[in-house]
Structures are given as structure tokens and as C-alpha cells.
Amino acid sequence: VFATQSYGVSRLGTYSYDNSIPASYRQDIFDPFQETSYGAGVSLALRSELTKGVTMEAGYRSHINMNEFYNVHGVYSQRADLDIPARAKLGLAFQASDRSWLNVSVERVLYSEIGAFASRNLPGKFLSMLGDTTSPSFSWDDLTVYSVGWAWADNKGTSWYLDFSSRTQPSPSSSILSQAIDSDLAQNAVTVGYSRRMSMSSRFNLNAAYAPAEYAFGGNILGVTTDQLNQKFELEANMTWDF
């Protein structure tokens, strides 16, 4: 698994110049800044039919150690070091009909192995409890995610799925910090997906997710993150090619 993380700002064309600087030496109005971090890990997966109509899936992805950002800092001036935690998953699928399946799964995400980053996207009431000698230790607990879902597929390459999962955001290991942020974490989420085969090697996918409460980091079910949109609903479209 190869991972990249990018951070960028456009600066919106705002600059301050000394009048003594000739116009020809001034920067262009649009001067975007972007920094990218890289990392790599290993992912292993196994799928096996235990008996007719019952299939087991198991998977593991290692901790991905990402490079630090040099110019992106948190509230307390620490560099952004946004490692991706290891995770292990076990699932069972039961054939409900000729074209549909019921799925149950449990996933363990090892957030305690990565450093906690005091992002500006965290709620103000949470950040106000950090930053001095009396502050509790800021780290994340490991998280267990439970999911149940239904999938349907025809013999022409079209499929639908519906999943309901428990909370996908970790809680702080400190009980005081956990109480401060719990109201900003969604306790469950629903995802709906549509997929259609476009050719023998390509497929179009459309996914949507809804959570009934705001996330501390913006959206996180499909990977859409922002501190501006304040969204509870996420939408994603992509094409995949097999080779």
C-alpha cells in the first residue's frame, strides 16, 4: 500500500508589499502552496467459502508511517505527523437469495499506536483543555467498529449495497478529554453504494454516507475531510480499472 497526503492553500491573492519593491519583482496574484507526505505499508486479505452460502473474509493492513509536514503545524506548533493506523477486520457473508447477501463484520483500528495531533479542526472546547502543565495526556484509544449490511448484484454487472456501522472516530484515552469531545463524534453512520461494470476491465462506483452528528475532523466515512463544509453527508464517485 502506497499512501500520499497533501495540504494546500491558495492564499486567495492577499499580499502585503513595501512600496519600495518594484512591481516587476512582486509575486503573481495567484501563488498556491502545497506540501505532500508519503508512506508505505502492507495489506493482506483472505476470502474463503466456509460452507455453501457462507463466506468468510479476513484482512490486515499495517501501520503506515507518513513523512512529517514541514510547513503544516498544529495548534501548539507541533509538525503535522499524520500516520495511518494499523487495522484488522473479520467478516461473514450469508447468502440471502440468488442475488443478495447479508454481511456482518468487526474491525479493530489501532489508534493507540500513532501520535495524537492537536489539529485546528478539533473543537475549541477540547483544545482549551490542552497546552499547559495541568492538561491531561492527549492520545487516542483503539477503536472497534461493528457493521451490518446488505448487498445485491445481478448477472449484468450492476450491484447495490447498504451498510450500517458503529462509530468510526476514536475517543481520547483520557476520560476528561473524552467527555469534552463525545458530542462532536457521530455514534453511527449509514453508507449506500451503487456499482456498474462499464467494460471487462472497468467499473463505475457511486457511494454516499450519512452520520447523524458532526465529526471532529470533518467527514471521515468516505475519506472526505474539511473544517469548512460542516457536512453530515458525503458523496463520492470513482472509476476503477483492472490490469
Side-chain angles (χ1 to χ4, degrees):
V1 177
F2 298 96
T4 64
Q5 297 170 343
S6 295
Y7 174 85
V9 295
S10 70
R11 298 180 182 170
L12 300 178
T14 56
Y15 292 95
S16 176
Y17 291 108
D18 189 307
N19 289 334
S20 63
I21 300 178
S24 59
Y25 288 96
R26 300 178 184 179
Q27 300 181 45
D28 294 334
I29 293 298
F30 180 72
D31 183 26
F33 163 79
Q34 182 171 338
E35 187 176 2
T36 303
S37 173
Y38 301 93
V42 176
S43 181
L44 304 172
L46 171 69
R47 179 184 175 94
S48 177
E49 187 175 24
L50 300 179
T51 184
K52 185 177 180 179
V54 180
T55 301
M56 179 199 72
E57 292 183 348
Y60 172 79
R61 191 188 68 197
S62 68
H63 171 204
I64 300 179
N65 186 24
M66 304 296 296
N67 300 128
E68 284 187 347
F69 285 97
Y70 287 97
N71 297 292
V72 183
H73 296 81
V75 174
Y76 304 107
S77 298
Q78 75 276 35
R79 287 181 178 175
D81 185 9
L82 309 178
D83 288 354
I84 301 174
R87 58 181 62 212
K89 184 175 183 178
L90 179 66
L92 290 173
F94 305 91
Q95 189 169 10
S97 69
D98 291 341
R99 297 182 179 179
S100 63
W101 291 77
L102 293 174
N103 310 283
V104 293
S105 67
V106 58
E107 183 176 32
R108 185 70 169 175
V109 189
L110 304 181
Y111 281 103
S112 62
E113 294 183 352
I114 64 174
F117 176 63
S119 167
R120 299 178 189 276
N121 294 345
L122 289 164
K125 63 182 179 181
F126 180 86
L127 295 175
S128 65
M129 304 178 70
L130 304 175
D132 59 41
T133 56
T134 62
S135 300
S137 176
F138 180 26
S139 61
W140 297 116
D141 270 341
D142 293 338
L143 176 70
T144 301
V145 181
Y146 302 95
S147 300
V148 59
W150 170 84
W152 176 91
D154 63 14
N155 56 7
K156 298 180 180 179
T158 299
S159 61
W160 289 87
Y161 80 89
L162 173 67
D163 280 334
F164 179 86
S165 62
S166 62
R167 186 164 75 185
T168 58
Q169 288 278 357
S171 293
S173 54
S174 164
S175 60
I176 296 175
L177 293 178
S178 182
Q179 292 173 10
I181 203 175
D182 270 349
S183 62
D184 293 289
L185 298 176
Q187 300 302 313
N188 52 70
V190 178
T191 57
V192 179
Y194 166 81
S195 179
R196 179 162 181 82
R197 187 175 67 235
M198 308 303 292
S199 68
M200 293 299 295
S201 60
S202 64
R203 178 172 288 272
F204 170 74
N205 305 290
L206 184 66
N207 303 298
Y210 173 80
E214 181 57 33
Y215 288 94
F217 315 110
N220 197 41
I221 297 297
L222 301 177
V224 182
T225 56
T226 177
D227 61 343
Q228 300 295 326
L229 298 181
N230 199 37
Q231 81 279 9
K232 299 178 182 178
F233 176 80
E234 300 171 49
L235 186 65
E236 170 189 77
N238 63 65
M239 285 284 293
T240 60
W241 287 268
D242 297 329
F243 59 92

